[in-house]
Amino acid sequence: MDQDETERAEILRPPAMTGPGELAEIAVSAADNQGHPVLLELDRGVSLLVRPGTSPELVTVELEWLWRRERTFEEFAELVHRLARLRGAPVPLHGITVEPDQTFEQVVTALLEQQQKRDHPRI
């Protein structure tokens, strides 16, 4: 996040009980309509800068990534896989890096191997 861009962005506070998809649509629409970034404040110290022209799907996944909630292993693997693919950039994570061109199966395998190493370290 560019400091100047963040300082110039209009702050957008989400309405209560709004899910990530709907919130993404609101933020992308606001940025596109205003022609400059909006800063979506989610929680204490947690925010997301949304620039004009950003894909609503990317914003939705970024919001899901920031949302603190319990996820199954499969949900987590799918989320990190989608995040890398939509960002078009590697996602560093718990000692591994998920690449945008990896398949879902490769992501699951890497996460399982990392979990195995954590649960059963070599002595």
Side-chain angles (χ1 to χ4, degrees):
M1 235 186 291
D2 179 0
Q3 184 68 25
D4 290 339
E5 196 173 35
T6 302
E7 289 174 1
R8 289 190 315 260
E10 179 181 332
I11 295 174
L12 191 63
R13 291 183 177 83
M17 305 303 290
T18 306
E22 184 180 358
L23 192 50
E25 291 292 338
I26 291 169
V28 168
S29 178
D32 286 347
N33 289 339
Q34 295 173 19
H36 59 78
V38 295
L39 188 64
L40 194 53
E41 283 192 346
L42 304 171
D43 203 358
R44 290 168 249 151
V46 178
S47 57
L48 179 66
L49 187 70
V50 179
R51 293 177 179 90
T54 302
S55 131
E57 184 181 12
L58 174 58
V59 176
T60 300
V61 172
E62 293 281 0
L63 289 170
E64 289 173 1
W65 183 252
L66 292 172
W67 237 277
R68 303 284 184 228
R69 70 171 186 85
E70 289 290 319
R71 291 184 176 89
T72 66
F73 180 83
E74 290 77 16
E75 288 172 331
F76 181 76
E78 180 184 346
L79 180 58
V80 73
H81 178 246
R82 287 175 54 211
L83 187 61
R85 209 172 24 85
L86 289 168
R87 279 184 181 173
V91 177
L93 178 72
H94 306 294
I96 65 169
T97 299
V98 177
E99 299 289 339
D101 61 347
Q102 283 181 285
T103 66
F104 177 70
E105 291 75 18
Q106 290 171 320
V107 172
V108 168
T109 300
L111 288 171
L112 285 172
E113 287 172 354
Q114 186 61 25
Q115 183 178 9
Q116 183 75 15
K117 287 178 187 174
R118 252 193 339 267
D119 293 348
H120 305 285
R122 287 192 167 153
I123 297 176

